[in-house]
């Protein structure tokens, strides 16, 4: 076996599959802020429109939720790089939880792509499709990540 075929490095120490507690909390805080800002934008955009002189007008806080969401999207891409280097590569080598981990990565790529399309698409029809694809996936993302985390913790307790 090579050093890359199992979760041990060259000197025989176990390669960490978990982020440090501080970094893990930071990644969770970024992720939850991203998710919550998206939920709040949806709520303010669809449920809290105001009647204006010329029809419905956005709630004054709506653009702020979108700005926070965009900022957290950038932070999420940064934290994904951190998680990739510490957790994903080492975890993939162990062959554990490839399905839930791979699906999580695929959904993050999907959310990044649909978010990009929301920013750059000008055709209203395709932009609407991209919007629903983005927020429907985004709303479900915490459930998938929770499953991935619970499976990992359950497996760790058995080992």
């Amino acid at each position: 076996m090579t050093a890359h075929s199992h979760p041990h490095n060259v000197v025989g120490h176990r390669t960490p599959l978990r982020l440090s507690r501080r970094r893990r909390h930071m990644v969770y805080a970024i992720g939850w802020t991203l998710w919550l800002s998206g939920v709040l934008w949806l709520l303010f955009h669809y449920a809290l429109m105001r009647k204006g002189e010329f029809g419905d007008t956005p709630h004054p806080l709506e653009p702020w939720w979108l700005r926070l969401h965009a900022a957290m999207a950038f932070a999420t891409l940064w934290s994904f790089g951190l998680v990739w280097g510490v957790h994903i590569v080492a975890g993939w080598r162990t062959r554990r939880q490839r399905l839930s981990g791979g699906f999580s990565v695929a959904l993050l790529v999907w959310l990044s792509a649909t978010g990009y399309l929301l920013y750059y698409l000008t055709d209203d029809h395709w932009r609407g499709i991209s919007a629903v694809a983005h927020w429907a996936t985004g709303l479900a993302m915490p459930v998938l990540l929770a499953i991935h985390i619970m499976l990992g913790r359950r497996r760790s307790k058995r080992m």
Side-chain angles (χ1 to χ4, degrees):
M1 259 200 212
T2 68
H4 298 293
S5 62
H6 55 77
H8 293 80
N9 63 18
V10 180
V11 292
H13 290 64
R14 193 162 178 78
T15 303
L17 292 177
R18 290 181 67 169
L19 296 169
S20 69
R21 174 172 285 167
R22 191 185 71 179
R23 287 183 176 173
R24 191 170 57 250
H25 289 170
M26 180 188 58
V27 169
Y28 289 165
I30 290 169
W32 280 114
T33 305
L34 176 70
W35 186 81
L36 184 59
S37 63
V39 168
L40 288 170
W41 181 85
L42 284 169
L43 176 67
F44 278 70
H45 182 75
Y46 290 108
L48 298 177
M49 282 282 201
R50 295 178 160 194
K51 298 292 181 196
E53 186 178 340
F54 302 105
D56 288 342
T57 59
H59 188 283
L61 290 178
E62 180 185 329
W64 290 102
W65 294 127
L66 190 58
R67 289 177 185 125
L68 178 60
H69 191 67
M72 289 299 102
F74 281 113
T76 297
L77 292 176
W78 173 83
S79 67
F80 177 71
L82 175 70
V83 172
W84 181 273
V86 174
H87 176 73
I88 296 170
V89 172
W92 194 261
R93 288 180 185 148
T94 68
R95 301 188 188 287
R96 295 182 346 198
Q97 291 180 246
R98 281 189 172 182
L99 182 61
S100 64
F103 198 58
S104 296
V105 169
L107 287 184
L108 184 60
V109 169
W110 173 259
L111 287 166
S112 298
T114 55
Y116 175 86
L117 291 173
L118 284 171
Y119 193 77
Y120 287 107
L121 279 177
T122 56
D123 181 274
D124 286 340
H125 173 73
W126 289 108
R127 194 169 193 288
I129 290 171
S130 183
V132 172
H134 185 78
W135 62 256
T137 304
L139 287 173
M141 192 69 171
V143 174
L144 176 65
L145 290 175
I147 291 168
H148 181 70
I149 291 165
M150 287 187 306
L151 289 172
R153 287 181 179 166
R154 188 170 56 188
R155 185 179 185 108
S156 294
K157 287 179 183 177
R158 287 186 292 176
M159 297 179 118

